[in-house]
Amino acid sequence: MNSTTVKILVVEDEMIIGAKISMQLTSLGYEVTGILPRGEEALLHVAQNKPDIILLDIHLKGNMDGIETARQIHLKFNVPIIYLTANADEETFNRAKSTKPFAFISKPFKQLDLQRAVELTISRMAENETGIMEETHNHEQPFFLNDRIFVRHKERMVKLMLAEILYIEADRNY
């Protein structure tokens, strides 16, 4: 099966946590495009590396917190966000919710929490490609990836670029 690994950017200002997340994602078969401590750096990274998913800490050092970083990313890119947070009060949660994240992960978390959040995000991305969930997103910026599909292969989700598919054979649930 010729496939492209799902690319994930980690934006976390505590580098030990960022490194742990990166190791967990790599062990799950995902490619980590970077571990960055600041939102400003994340914006540049997204433009250059085009990750499929961003794991974003809500509380970042620097001029932009994670929520403002997500807003800025969504102005230019359709990249799903999974928020990481140690503690979010109601106001912060509502601000974060307004950016339409695909998931929230509370710190500390287990690898299974991370795995499930990423798989749910990939599943929602795949549904969005078929337009099933279009109405749940901002109508000004619908989330479409019409150049790829996501399929399960050996217990993980992989990205397939449509231009690289010669033929498709479906087994079982597919």
Side-chain angles (χ1 to χ4, degrees), residues 50 52 129 145-150 159-162:
K50 310 230 182 323
D52 298 305
E129 288 174 19
L145 296 173
N146 55 10
D147 62 341
R148 68 199 77 179
I149 60 173
F150 294 88
K159 174 178 64 176
L160 296 173
M161 301 307 289
L162 294 178

Side-chain angles (χ1 to χ4, degrees), residues 45-172:
H45 183 92
V46 171
Q48 294 170 350
N49 296 283
K50 310 230 182 323
D52 298 305
I53 298 170
I54 301 171
L55 278 169
L56 182 58
D57 189 4
I58 287 180
H59 301 286
L60 296 173
K61 296 179 179 113
N63 295 329
M64 293 194 305
D65 67 359
I67 299 166
E68 184 55 31
T69 300
R71 281 191 218 292
Q72 294 299 316
I73 288 170
H74 286 157
L75 289 176
K76 297 179 182 174
F77 309 100
N78 280 326
V79 182
I81 305 286
I82 298 173
Y83 280 122
L84 302 166
T85 184
N87 50 4
D89 56 67
E90 198 65 28
E91 181 184 341
T92 304
F93 175 77
N94 287 328
R95 272 185 63 224
K97 195 169 72 169
S98 75
T99 65
K100 305 210 182 318
F102 277 56
F104 276 87
I105 302 175
S106 294
K107 296 184 212 171
F109 57 86
K110 299 180 184 84
Q111 182 168 333
L112 186 60
D113 299 330
L114 182 63
Q115 179 179 357
R116 286 179 175 162
V118 170
E119 286 189 13
L120 277 170
T121 299
I122 292 169
S123 175
R124 284 184 61 194
M125 290 165 66
E127 288 173 354
N128 285 340
E129 288 174 19
T130 62
I132 293 171
M133 294 186 65
E134 177 185 359
E135 69 278 358
T136 65
H137 291 286
N138 182 344
H139 285 296
E140 296 167 24
Q141 295 182 333
F143 188 87
F144 287 113
L145 296 173
N146 55 10
D147 62 341
R148 68 199 77 179
I149 60 173
F150 294 88
V151 296
R152 183 169 295 283
H153 178 65
K154 295 185 181 175
E155 302 302 315
R156 66 185 180 106
M157 298 298 281
V158 294
K159 174 178 64 176
L160 296 173
M161 301 307 289
L162 294 178
E164 297 173 1
I165 297 174
L166 300 176
Y167 74 93
I168 295 176
E169 182 179 326
D171 290 334
R172 298 190 321 233

